[in-house]
Amino acid sequence: PTPLLLALRARPLEMLGDYLTALLIAVLGYIYPVYLCFKAVEKHKRKPEALRGWCIYWLVMGLYTVGVQISDRFVFWVPMYCEAKVGFVLYLWHPKTQGALYIYESFVAPFLARHEPDIDRHIDETQTSVGDVVVKHSQATGNFVREKFAQMLAALPQAVPQQPGAQGSGYVPRSATEAAAMAYSQPKPRSD
């Protein structure tokens, strides 16, 4: 027997791997429901109440996604955890179980309805404080840019006026770079 077969016999494949779990959840939890949602939207263009089920599904799926991001860090070691995640996603959208509807009506809607005023107040406070921070930092950024631009302009070489009676544009270059720039920027005399 090859070393691979010996390794497989020593440790049987008991659980789905992380990659296979992620692929199954992507297909079964997102791609297929997106297609079904598309079909429902196109079929029920004039009946928005027919789309309520999909709104509920995506709301619960969003909560599931946030929950999994947190729980994966702590319970990844539980046997059959990956399989349970795939099974839960199937439970959420499958027409026979309608798990998303059950979870929404039993847990999510009552919780959100009970805490809606507090949640709205926290959202308003957060928006206000974020707005204040953005305004403060925008003003500070504007002041910084103005200051640096003024410093940059002050660092540019200045042209010196020529002595009265001298020929030319009225300015004497202070460096070779200025002289070259002035030479190329002056119109050439016409030879008629």
Side-chain angles (χ1 to χ4, degrees), residues 76-131:
F76 64 90
W77 53 269
V78 172
M80 304 294 285
Y81 176 66
C82 292
E83 289 83 353
K85 290 192 313 186
V86 173
F88 183 73
V89 166
L90 282 171
Y91 164 76
L92 287 179
W93 66 259
H94 200 277
K96 289 188 179 182
T97 59
Q98 295 186 353
L101 183 62
Y102 173 76
I103 290 172
Y104 177 79
E105 290 177 349
S106 300
F107 304 104
V108 177
F111 177 83
L112 291 177
R114 187 169 48 251
H115 298 289
E116 186 175 6
D118 294 332
I119 294 170
D120 287 341
R121 183 176 44 80
H122 286 297
I123 289 172
D124 290 342
E125 289 171 359
T126 302
Q127 287 176 337
T128 301
S129 64
V130 167

Side-chain angles (χ1 to χ4, degrees), residues 16-65:
L16 295 175
D18 287 339
Y19 297 114
L20 183 57
T21 299
L23 177 66
L24 287 173
I25 288 175
V27 171
L28 299 174
Y30 293 97
I31 296 172
Y32 185 64
V34 162
Y35 178 69
L36 293 178
C37 190
F38 162 77
K39 287 176 64 171
V41 166
E42 291 303 311
K43 183 178 176 184
H44 302 293
K45 285 184 179 181
R46 303 211 188 275
K47 296 187 235 170
E49 67 277 355
L51 302 176
R52 180 177 185 269
W54 283 112
C55 288
I56 289 172
Y57 170 79
W58 289 113
L59 189 144
V60 173
M61 190 63 180
L63 293 173
Y64 161 80
T65 302

Side-chain angles (χ1 to χ4, degrees), residues 180-191:
M182 288 176 68
Y184 286 108
S185 65
Q186 293 179 359
K188 299 208 186 252
R190 297 177 81 191
S191 55

